[in-house]
Amino acid sequence: MPASSRSEAATADLPVRSSLQLDLSRPILIAVTALLVVMIALPMGWLIVYSLSDKQGTATLGNFVTLFTDPSFVDPLITTLIIAVSVSAICCIVAAPLGWLVARTDMPIRRIVRTLVMASLVTPPFVGAIAWEMLAAPNSGLLNQLWRSLTGMPSDEALFDIYSLTGLIFVIACYTFPYVFILVANALDRMPGELEDASSMLGAKTWQTARRITMPLALPTLLAGALVAFLQALNLFGSPAILAIPAGFHTLTTRIWSLFQFPPKPELAAAASLPLLLLTILLLRGQALALGRRGYAVLGGKYGEPRLVRLGAWRLPAAALALLVLAMPLFLPYAALFNSAFSRVASRLVTLDTITLHNVRFTFLELSSTMPALKNTFLLATLSATLGAVLALLIAYIVARRAVPGHRVLAFLATAPLAIPGIVLGVGLFLAYTRPPLTLYGTLWILLIAFITIELPAAYQQLSSAFHAVHPELEEAGRMLGASRLRTLADITAPLLRSAVIATWCFVFVAVIRELSAAVILFTSETKVLSVLIFDLKESGDVGAIAVLSLTMVGITTVVVAVANRFGGGREAGRLHARTAG
Amino acid sequence: MTRLTRRSVLAGSAAIAAGSYAVQVRAAPEPQKITPTLIEAAKKEGKLSWYTSVDLPVAEKIAKAFEAAYPGVSMKVERSGAERIFQRIGQEYQSKIYNCDVVNSSDAAHLIIWKRASMLASFLPEDVAKHFPKEHWDADGMYASWRVTLSPIAYNTSQVKAEDAPKGFNDLLDPKWAGKIVKAHPGYSGTIMTATQQLSRDLGWAYFEKLAKQKVMQVQSAADPPKKVSGGERAVMADGTEYMVNLLQSRGEPIEEVYAVEGTPLITGPSAVLARAANPNAARLFYAWSMTAEAQQLNVEIGALRSVHPLVKDRPERKKLSDIKTLREDAAAVADQADDIKARYLKLFKV
């Protein structure tokens, strides 16, 4: 619609508009703030209350005494810290050189490598863990069998034992390093080439430039990446549940989950959740500090494209190395998943003679939970994505345009759930909503609240950066022409933000599909979702159905991510907040 | 609402239990036939939800067989470990959620606890009253043994020669089995909870203390160790369900059971209709059908389960139940000791 006709239309329905002109922003602000407070404060409040009471409800510090003296808690706490530190270190060691190769060198296939690393993020970590079981279980693992047949190693020895602390660290690192990689590669993309040029002009050798210029410039980003990896590993539930328990040890998340088995001990679960919560808050502060320093390198005017380092004879080995790294989260696990989806026995390689559709038939025709779980998952993902995007849009608008006093509180509340690990939120919501007045347990609502809360920070961050890209002048023009704030938002801002909103919608959708750690605490038989169904099947060892469902899940996710990339552009994917649905 | 725990139920119902001798003198409830009225009422409800701990593919096949027998009634199978199901039903009832219509547990203690908490409906199918041995059904018609299974030892026949295979539980403590044993979890599986109670009583906790030092692979479901053994992941299983071993054998998988010299844990898996079932008629229809000779025969054929129905023919290739030395099952003791067993188990096996 041309601008002139629009203003005519606007004058024509003046009486209607004047009623819209009533400033709705204050009631909206109050409503949104109240909603966020209830969403976050209620479960966290109950968490704290429970952690400080005993079974009869009297105040006590006994839960914390148990937590820090009982070996069945102290051991998992130590194990979890060991895992988080190791994963963090491995991710940096792998992601930094790979990010450098992709962003700053002339390595062949570097674009493909970058895309594939991003694609590996589509795999839910617990699916990755199940696939690695198929590959590297000490005796039946395909890689171990292959190694034995190649080297004649005796049958009771193994090359890899995935059921071990190192195995678990390896698998978590496989699905965590992409986050660090994305941070590092994006930072290196943006890094000005002049500093490196200056260095080499002053006579420094390539490696000297790398060591004295590139590395210090990238260090804050790497540090932030290390923290992201640490947090991931700290709060992950699925992978340890799958790999640590068979090996005979717990991490803090699996221990918290085990407290919901009979006889349930919600008080202890609440107490055990608090260290995770506190550690996460502390580390996020650390991350903010590390990322906050990043700006110091890019003071000044406009920079040239960074110069690509010529690898010369190292080009092919570098590409081979990149593909080897990619085999760990991507090629090998998917080969294993396809193998067991079409095989009767997961530990045997499928051949043309043994290929079977038995698992597919069983999953979709016999398994009576498949369809309800798919339905619940789709419903929840669609609703969470829609409501989450609307809520995030509203908050991002209020904050970006400073629409009302107190907008900072909203920004804080919208990012606060970042500090709440999925399993902790699950415990908190369970405690808050299994009692009157709102007994939501057993309904899809409790899962909806959980998913929106978990994904709000990512959605808000994406949309708030999108809002910053839309200049306020455009909105001011609309306001000057007499449109109300809401109308300006609908007619001017929203169309400009369309792609960002669609991208946000898709990412929340995907994140909900793969969420396990909160869902595993909150589901009932009638509200089972796909991730929980896969986890259930895992516990009874129905590997074939797991493979089929996992591939289905990844297939759906891939389609949605592809759509998101079409509308939102690849950069949005890079900004997708680093929280896996453990 | 007070929390449902084993202990509180036990303590709270002590008085009732004391008086229950008087109750037991009362005649058993009237045996019920599957009447056209019941079928019609069930069809009107159109659906039911069955919580069971039997292996998932077996459960789904049984559900399909029922749906074929009574078109118009569709079944939803909710399968998990018996201990998880016990927890889930307790949790759901506390939140006034009555999803479950018929329940089947491999931990017979659960039925005792549910009965004491007045959560079960009295309904005595004709087949049960007429054919089932007295010890396999509740005098008040609250539950009956839908299945029986054992928790034997088993080994992978391509990894272990028959003469090297363990003969009993104490053989598993030999250092040569370190790192080669898989076992399931009493916090998940009712079969394993029941077996652990029997073994800790007859062999003592010292057996588990030593077993825990054998670098055991810990899985959850009792149906999983046979899969791990036949798939070649571990050479022997210390526990797990017999029926899964038999099902894998009939598919030609390399697995062989061993009935331990010390005796093999015997596990009955009773079923019951829930008093607050949302689909009471469909629930009664399925429950009654599941106890008929025809359905019980199906359990044996598609599930390799054992049946207490005297008209049912067992699989000819396997050892008769009466020829196997079994350990004595004591559901009341399990009800009493379960929490303690889980705590001790966590201490020994760390998970």
Side-chain angles (χ1 to χ4, degrees):
Chain A
M1 198 190 289
S4 58
S5 70
R6 171 176 293 207
S7 67
E8 272 163 37
T11 2
D13 53 273
L14 200 71
V16 181
R17 202 191 59 222
S18 64
S19 71
L20 265 178
Q21 245 168 356
L22 254 175
D23 196 359
L24 288 175
S25 48
R26 181 157 292 275
I28 288 178
L29 175 83
I30 293 169
V32 173
T33 313
L35 184 67
L36 290 185
V37 167
V38 170
M39 274 168 70
I40 297 157
L42 198 62
M44 293 305 109
W46 277 115
L47 200 67
I48 292 167
V49 169
Y50 261 82
S51 70
L52 293 170
S53 17
D54 62 14
K55 276 220 172 301
Q56 282 70 42
T58 36
T60 175
L61 284 174
N63 297 322
F64 290 98
V65 175
T66 312
L67 187 58
F68 292 108
T69 52
D70 185 340
S72 78
F73 287 99
V74 177
D75 293 350
L77 192 62
I78 295 170
T79 311
T80 306
L81 289 175
I82 294 174
I83 292 171
V85 170
S86 319
V87 166
S88 181
I90 293 172
C91 286
C92 289
I93 291 168
V94 175
L98 197 64
W100 179 75
L101 281 175
V102 162
R104 302 310 285 268
T105 72
D106 63 346
M107 180 179 80
I109 62 165
R110 61 178 189 278
R111 284 216 174 76
I112 299 174
V113 169
R114 185 181 276 221
T115 313
L116 285 178
V117 175
M118 308 259 261
S120 71
L121 276 181
V122 167
T123 319
F126 62 92
V127 170
I130 294 171
W132 268 99
E133 259 190 306
M134 298 164 184
L135 287 165
N139 300 300
S140 60
L142 297 170
L143 291 178
N144 283 316
Q145 291 187 51
L146 181 73
W147 184 255
R148 266 184 222 115
S149 68
L150 287 178
T151 63
M153 185 173 70
S155 66
D156 53 353
E157 287 173 33
L159 182 62
F160 307 105
D161 181 358
I162 208 70
Y163 302 118
S164 63
L165 188 59
T166 37
L168 177 61
I169 290 171
F170 167 78
V171 171
I172 297 179
C174 275
Y175 295 95
T176 308
F177 91 86
Y179 294 103
V180 186
F181 168 87
I182 289 169
L183 282 173
V184 170
N186 286 353
L188 289 173
D189 280 342
R190 289 193 301 265
M191 195 180 284
E194 278 82 352
L195 292 169
E196 286 167 331
D197 289 345
S199 161
S200 46
M201 271 184 256
L202 289 168
K205 294 192 174 63
T206 310
W207 69 269
Q208 273 178 318
T209 305
R211 193 169 63 86
R212 317 247 327 231
I213 307 289
T214 321
M215 268 175 51
L217 283 177
L219 206 58
T221 312
L222 196 60
L223 196 57
L227 280 169
V228 168
F230 188 94
L231 282 177
Q232 295 276 12
L234 188 70
N235 295 327
L236 205 59
F237 165 72
S239 314
I242 286 156
L243 298 174
I245 292 175
F249 66 92
H250 268 299
T251 64
L252 206 47
T253 50
T254 60
R255 187 72 179 104
I256 291 173
W257 165 76
S258 76
L259 292 169
F260 278 84
Q261 290 165 29
F262 200 87
K265 300 185 188 78
E267 303 84 9
L268 273 173
S273 299
L274 286 179
L276 281 182
L277 188 63
L278 289 178
L279 209 51
T280 309
I281 292 173
L282 280 178
L283 288 169
L284 282 173
R285 288 301 306 154
Q287 189 194 3
L289 287 178
L291 276 177
R293 287 182 60 211
R294 192 177 51 182
Y296 81 93
V298 286
L299 298 169
K302 202 166 184 238
Y303 301 104
E305 280 288 296
R307 196 167 41 91
L308 293 186
V309 173
R310 289 184 183 285
L311 291 174
W314 290 100
R315 286 183 77 217
L316 288 181
L321 181 75
L323 289 178
L324 181 71
V325 170
L326 275 171
M328 307 301 165
L330 215 56
F331 306 144
L332 289 172
Y334 280 97
L337 282 176
F338 273 104
N339 184 64
S340 43
F342 297 104
S343 144
R344 273 267 183 183
V345 183
S347 56
R348 262 166 246 153
L349 271 184
V350 70
T351 62
L352 280 180
D353 297 331
T354 58
I355 193 160
T356 168
L357 285 176
H358 168 265
N359 296 319
V360 180
R361 261 200 312 273
F362 173 71
T363 308
F364 288 106
L365 299 180
E366 284 177 40
L367 188 55
S368 56
S369 325
T370 305
M371 286 307 154
L374 275 174
K375 215 181 90 199
N376 286 339
T377 307
F378 266 103
L379 190 65
L380 281 169
T382 312
L383 278 178
S384 313
T386 311
L387 295 177
V390 168
L391 189 60
L393 191 66
L394 208 57
I395 299 168
Y397 174 77
I398 295 173
V399 174
R401 297 293 176 257
R402 295 156 207 251
V404 280
H407 59 266
R408 282 217 179 81
V409 180
L410 274 190
F412 169 76
L413 283 174
T415 36
L418 211 54
I420 311 174
I423 197 137
V424 175
L425 185 70
V427 175
L429 288 172
F430 178 86
L431 301 176
Y433 295 117
T434 42
R435 66 183 63 248
L438 270 180
T439 314
L440 295 182
Y441 178 74
T443 66
L444 289 174
W445 294 108
I446 194 168
L447 289 165
L448 185 67
I449 294 177
F451 294 154
I452 293 179
T453 314
I454 290 174
E455 301 313 329
L456 188 61
Y460 166 72
Q461 279 170 355
Q462 284 199 51
L463 288 174
S464 95
S465 58
F467 257 110
H468 284 295
V470 177
H471 202 283
E473 277 169 8
L474 295 171
E475 288 169 14
E476 281 156 15
R479 298 273 281 157
M480 274 186 258
L481 287 169
S484 74
R485 179 163 263 156
L486 286 179
R487 184 168 194 128
T488 318
L489 195 60
D491 286 353
I492 297 180
T493 322
L496 289 169
L497 288 173
R498 210 191 60 164
S499 67
V501 172
I502 293 173
T504 305
W505 190 95
C506 291
F507 286 120
V508 176
F509 186 92
V510 168
V512 167
I513 286 192
R514 34 187 279 164
E515 212 291 332
L516 172 67
S517 58
V520 83
I521 304 273
L522 297 174
F523 81 99
T524 58
S525 60
E526 294 296 312
T527 55
K528 213 178 253 187
V529 290
L530 200 50
S531 57
V532 173
L533 177 60
I534 293 178
F535 189 69
D536 255 12
L537 290 169
K538 171 68 202 111
E539 289 188 315
S540 52
D542 293 294
V543 184
I546 293 171
V548 173
L549 283 174
S550 300
L551 290 172
T552 310
M553 185 190 230
V554 171
I556 298 168
T557 319
T558 309
V559 170
V560 177
V561 168
V563 170
N565 273 330
R566 250 200 85 175
F567 286 101
R571 273 297 158 79
E572 298 291 337
R575 224 182 285 123
L576 172 64
H577 185 264
R579 180 207 280 274
T580 46
Chain B
M1 194 173 181
T2 50
R3 185 169 287 134
L4 178 72
T5 68
R6 287 175 193 262
R7 279 184 206 289
S8 73
V9 168
L10 288 174
S13 60
I16 303 164
S20 71
Y21 286 105
V23 176
Q24 273 175 7
V25 179
R26 195 185 66 193
E30 191 66 27
Q32 305 288 327
K33 282 191 168 72
I34 297 180
T35 59
T37 331
L38 180 64
I39 299 172
E40 270 321 299
K43 281 186 180 164
K44 212 163 268 168
E45 289 162 359
K47 59 180 189 334
L48 85 144
S49 150
W50 179 35
Y51 284 32
T52 178
S53 56
V54 82
D55 184 60
L56 183 61
V58 174
E60 295 286 7
K61 281 192 192 99
I62 288 163
K64 291 280 173 293
F66 172 72
E67 287 173 350
Y70 298 99
V73 189
S74 72
M75 264 188 89
K76 186 164 177 292
V77 174
E78 172 65 17
R79 199 222 83 95
S80 189
E83 304 303 315
R84 290 277 167 79
I85 283 180
F86 182 71
Q87 151 69 0
R88 195 165 301 162
I89 291 180
Q91 185 59 57
E92 291 182 355
Y93 268 59
Q94 249 186 68
S95 305
K96 302 195 173 60
I97 299 167
Y98 309 112
N99 283 343
C100 175
D101 293 315
V102 178
V103 66
N104 162 246
S105 177
S106 53
D107 183 342
H110 294 160
L111 281 298
I112 298 176
I113 295 167
W114 286 325
K115 182 186 171 185
R116 284 176 189 165
S118 309
M119 284 162 68
L120 304 180
S122 173
F123 182 76
L124 181 62
E126 190 182 36
D127 270 86
V128 173
K130 213 155 133 191
H131 300 292
F132 280 34
K134 276 264 182 282
E135 67 272 24
H136 281 288
W137 54 281
D138 174 57
D140 297 317
M142 299 289 185
Y143 53 85
S145 300
W146 177 70
R147 58 164 157 144
V148 171
T149 188
L150 299 165
S151 173
I153 296 170
Y155 62 95
N156 183 306
T157 50
S158 50
Q159 290 178 1
V160 181
K161 285 194 216 104
E163 61 267 31
D164 298 334
K167 304 283 177 287
F169 292 107
N170 281 314
D171 290 354
L172 295 173
L173 307 177
D174 189 310
K176 77 173 179 177
W177 297 116
K180 294 185 175 172
I181 301 173
V182 58
K183 84 180 292 302
H185 202 290
Y188 175 95
S189 161
T191 301
I192 304 304
M193 170 53 80
T194 311
T196 307
Q197 190 271 333
Q198 295 175 20
L199 288 170
S200 64
R201 176 195 62 203
D202 293 0
L203 304 182
W205 276 100
Y207 162 71
F208 287 105
E209 261 165 53
K210 289 174 202 147
L211 188 65
K213 299 201 174 93
Q214 289 285 61
K215 288 189 270 172
V216 169
M217 175 184 189
Q218 180 71 64
V219 296
Q220 299 294 316
S221 169
D224 204 10
K227 297 173 195 170
K228 292 284 180 285
V229 167
S230 69
E233 181 43 45
R234 286 293 188 272
V236 230
M237 69 177 205
D239 54 29
T241 57
E242 182 201 39
Y243 68 88
M244 187 46 69
V245 174
N246 295 149
L247 286 177
L248 289 164
Q249 282 166 342
S250 59
R251 268 185 241 154
E253 298 293 333
I255 185 168
E256 186 67 36
E257 72 277 15
V258 174
Y259 299 109
V261 289
E262 296 94 341
T264 298
L266 175 78
I267 296 103
T268 58
S271 289
V273 173
L274 271 292
R276 307 204 63 144
N279 306 293
N281 295 301
R284 281 165 176 77
L285 178 62
F286 172 66
Y287 180 71
W289 172 83
S290 75
M291 300 296 179
T292 59
E294 176 203 4
Q296 288 282 309
Q297 189 66 53
L298 213 60
N299 282 2
V300 174
E301 273 154 27
I302 61 179
L305 297 161
R306 305 236 185 203
S307 171
V308 297
H309 200 306
L311 299 181
V312 168
K313 287 188 183 63
D314 203 358
R315 297 182 154 227
E317 72 276 10
R318 72 176 167 190
K319 211 168 171 180
K320 273 200 213 133
L321 195 54
S322 51
D323 294 345
I324 299 168
K325 180 184 172 190
T326 57
L327 300 179
R328 184 173 52 85
E329 193 181 20
D330 185 352
V334 177
D336 206 20
Q337 297 166 14
D339 294 356
D340 180 53
I341 289 173
K342 283 176 196 170
R344 276 180 183 242
Y345 195 89
L346 173 67
K347 212 174 224 167
L348 291 178
F349 289 89
K350 309 287 177 209
V351 282

